[in-house]
Amino acid sequence: MNQSNQADLGNGSIGKLLLKMAAPTIVAQVINMLYNMVDRMYIGHIPEVGSLALTGVGITFPIIMMISAFSSLIGMGGAPRAAISLGAGDKENANKILGNCVVSLAAVSVILTAVVLVFGKSMLRQFGATEGTTLEYGAAYLNIYALGTIFVQTVLGLNIFITTQGFSMTAMKTILIGAITNIILDPIFIFVFGMGVRGAALATIISQGISAVWVLRFLTGKKGVLRIQKKHLSFSLSVMLPVLALGLSPFIMQITESILTISFNASLQKFGGDLAVGAMTILAAVMQFAMMPIQGLTQGAQPIISFNFGAQKTDRVKKTFRLLLLYCVLFSGIIWAISMFAPKVFVLLFSNNLELTQISVWALRIYMAVSIIFGIQIACQQTFIALNQAGVSIFLAILRKVILLIPLIFILPHIIPDQFAAFFIPQHIQEILAGYDVPKVFSVFFAEPVSDTIAVTVTAFMFAFRFNKILKRGIPGKKEV
């Protein structure tokens, strides 16, 4: 690896290498989060209709997550396999994987754009949007956002191929370019041109389009080892089936985030009305804020783990994981502390409506109650993906949300005694949500820490049991070096 800004994944200090790889990806993830957060910040402050518009756009979140989930299915399935091939010295196969992923992302983009434009409004109704209020704002945002699906797939699906070959700074610039553009265009389109939520969506897709051009320019150039080449632009089942199998875990994590948001919104609408749904929009954004930097850490560690696993340098894999786990736990601890002791720091970013703010502050402490241990879940699960462990990573992705959280959202309101819930409900929340079933609103939010506790415990035990066995087994057919 002879490029000056390209990390040498197989040699040198693990600590310095992880810092070099992870720091840009953390920054990139935080910046990437701004695409949605900045939109919501500006939308929440639109005069007179800000809170209603924020709730409407929040209902589009499941569909947006579905769109980005397909980029994870292909990109996060392809990049680790390409890195393992590079570690094993097979550059031709790595480039073949990239070419197949490019074609797959393009095909998926066309299909998703058509589906959202045709069925988007009906989907919003199913997700809790109401006629004459939130549906108007949600549909206005989504119809424009859908037109930029090809840009979203390109940026999220291919940028990871830049990171996985050691160019983490370049990958960071991809997101930085788009985010700065978005931050500049948002207030212009929303307030100056008076476009409201349509302006927010237009700013986002223009920004993503500029980032997409940057990604394609790099991957068609000569700077990296992985390059988009005409001879590899095809679709081969033998190449893509293993990619899709490995990418299924992050795909499930994101697609179930959509189902999860739908479940939360439906249950909260029933028990707490629009204010409770609006609070959930803010909570989802805070959780996104908490997860993005941790995901940046894991994306920075993934090329190191995958490359060295391919090269069968097991000591370097172990050292990378230990540092990754430490950093993930430290960061999740910081997020937990802010959520418990200064939740307004997060909430006021999204709304200055007094009632919505008060409900969100109360709900955030419940929702993030055990987030201090969530770094363990992410570090272990993403390491399984980096080690090409499709089966176990899929199970863990399903466990937390599908097996635990989604059922608990609907079960806990019917089994938690009102007396227990009332202990956690202050008087001013009772007054704001007068006429609604506030104990059941608490139970819905409480489903998150219950499922997190169980999922983290299971994940930690599985990782402790399987990690060394995976390293000893290595890549089938490859001799120890």
Side-chain angles (χ1 to χ4, degrees):
M1 297 184 180
N2 54 13
Q3 300 295 340
S4 60
N5 67 336
Q6 184 179 18
D8 187 349
L9 302 176
N11 299 287
S13 166
I14 291 295
K16 292 180 180 179
L17 183 60
L18 182 57
L19 180 62
K20 181 177 182 178
M21 292 293 296
T25 54
I26 292 171
V27 173
Q29 287 292 334
V30 173
I31 293 169
N32 187 45
M33 172 190 61
L34 292 177
Y35 277 119
N36 285 324
M37 287 188 64
V38 169
D39 284 347
R40 295 177 196 181
M41 290 176 195
Y42 284 122
I43 290 169
H45 290 87
I46 295 176
E48 298 181 3
V49 300
S51 296
L52 196 60
L54 180 64
T55 300
V57 172
I59 295 173
T60 70
F61 183 70
I63 301 175
I64 291 172
M65 287 300 296
M66 289 179 187
I67 292 172
S68 63
F70 282 92
S71 67
S72 294
L73 174 66
I74 297 169
M76 294 188 71
R81 290 188 58 81
I84 291 172
S85 291
L86 290 177
D90 192 350
K91 295 180 182 179
E92 183 70 11
N93 188 58
N95 278 302
K96 186 182 295 184
I97 291 170
L98 172 59
N100 274 254
C101 288
V102 170
V103 172
S104 300
L105 285 166
V108 165
S109 298
V110 174
I111 296 170
L112 288 176
T113 300
V115 169
V116 173
L117 288 177
V118 174
F119 300 107
K121 203 165 187 178
S122 298
M123 294 167 71
L124 289 174
R125 290 191 186 96
Q126 295 298 317
F127 298 165
T130 54
E131 294 281 355
T133 55
T134 54
L135 180 62
E136 174 190 350
Y137 297 105
Y141 186 90
L142 187 62
N143 286 339
I144 293 177
Y145 185 91
L147 299 176
T149 299
I150 183 65
F151 304 140
V152 175
Q153 296 297 310
T154 300
V155 174
L156 298 183
L158 295 182
N159 197 44
I160 191 170
F161 283 93
I162 298 177
T163 302
T164 207
Q165 55 186 309
F167 291 99
S168 56
M169 285 295 295
T170 303
M172 182 193 74
K173 290 176 183 177
T174 301
I175 308 302
L176 183 62
I177 290 168
I180 291 175
T181 305
N182 195 41
I183 291 170
I184 293 172
L185 293 181
D186 252 335
I188 295 174
F189 288 158
I190 294 173
F191 300 111
V192 177
F193 293 162
M195 296 178 66
V197 296
R198 292 182 178 85
L202 183 60
T204 296
I205 66 170
I206 290 174
S207 303
Q208 292 279 20
I210 294 172
S211 292
V213 171
W214 170 269
V215 170
L216 293 174
R217 183 178 178 183
F218 182 88
L219 289 176
T220 54
K222 297 181 179 180
K223 196 171 184 179
V225 178
L226 291 174
R227 291 194 293 273
I228 298 173
Q229 300 171 7
K230 185 177 180 180
K231 64 178 180 178
H232 293 315
L233 290 175
S234 61
F235 182 88
S236 169
L237 282 177
S238 63
V239 174
M240 287 306 299
L241 284 179
V243 166
L244 297 176
L246 190 59
L248 196 57
S249 172
F251 174 80
I252 290 171
M253 289 172 66
Q254 289 199 35
I255 205 75
T256 51
E257 192 68 34
S258 301
I259 301 171
L260 184 61
T261 302
I262 296 166
S263 301
F264 268 121
N265 286 349
S267 193
L268 289 171
Q269 185 70 49
K270 177 181 178 181
F271 298 126
D274 285 342
L275 275 176
V277 174
M280 188 63 230
T281 300
I282 293 175
L283 267 57
V286 173
M287 178 63 85
Q288 185 183 18
F289 176 82
M291 291 302 103
M292 284 295 183
I294 296 177
Q295 289 171 355
L297 274 168
T298 60
Q299 284 189 20
Q302 174 266 309
I304 306 172
I305 294 173
S306 296
F307 184 94
N308 285 287
F309 180 61
Q312 294 202 352
K313 296 182 178 181
T314 57
D315 286 343
R316 292 178 64 78
V317 174
K318 291 178 180 179
K319 289 178 181 177
T320 304
F321 169 73
R322 286 195 292 265
L323 279 176
L324 173 65
L325 179 63
L326 174 63
Y327 294 152
C328 284
V329 172
L330 285 175
F331 190 85
S332 61
I334 293 170
I335 294 297
W336 175 84
I338 297 174
S339 299
M340 295 304 105
F341 303 110
K344 278 190 177 182
V345 170
F346 291 137
V347 173
L348 289 177
L349 292 173
F350 302 98
S351 178
N352 54 9
N353 178 279
L354 180 60
E355 290 186 339
L356 181 57
T357 298
Q358 290 178 327
I359 292 174
S360 299
V361 166
W362 165 69
L364 186 62
R365 289 193 172 105
I366 301 165
Y367 188 76
M368 301 290 285
V370 299
S371 58
I372 191 171
I373 63 173
F374 202 65
I376 299 172
Q377 170 88 13
I378 297 296
C380 294
Q381 186 170 339
Q382 294 300 315
T383 298
F384 275 130
I385 296 173
L387 295 174
N388 198 29
Q389 300 299 302
V392 66
S393 60
I394 290 169
F395 168 73
L396 293 176
I398 294 173
L399 173 66
R400 176 179 167 259
K401 295 177 183 176
V402 178
I403 298 176
L404 294 172
L405 184 50
I406 292 174
L408 287 173
I409 288 171
F410 299 102
I411 293 172
L412 289 187
H414 300 289
I415 65 174
I416 291 182
D418 287 353
Q419 296 87 341
F420 174 83
F423 181 78
F424 300 95
I425 305 171
Q427 182 62 37
H428 70 280
I429 298 298
Q430 292 276 16
E431 294 172 355
I432 293 172
L433 294 176
Y436 289 102
D437 197 334
V438 188
K440 286 183 170 53
V441 172
F442 162 82
S443 297
V444 173
F445 290 128
F446 191 59
E448 179 74 29
V450 172
S451 66
D452 286 349
T453 301
I454 299 171
V456 170
T457 302
V458 172
T459 300
F461 275 109
M462 287 189 68
F463 192 88
F465 178 73
R466 298 177 64 97
F467 184 49
N468 285 326
K469 291 183 178 182
I470 294 167
L471 296 183
K472 288 179 181 179
R473 186 169 64 243
I475 301 175
K478 190 177 188 302
K479 295 182 179 180
E480 191 75 37
V481 294

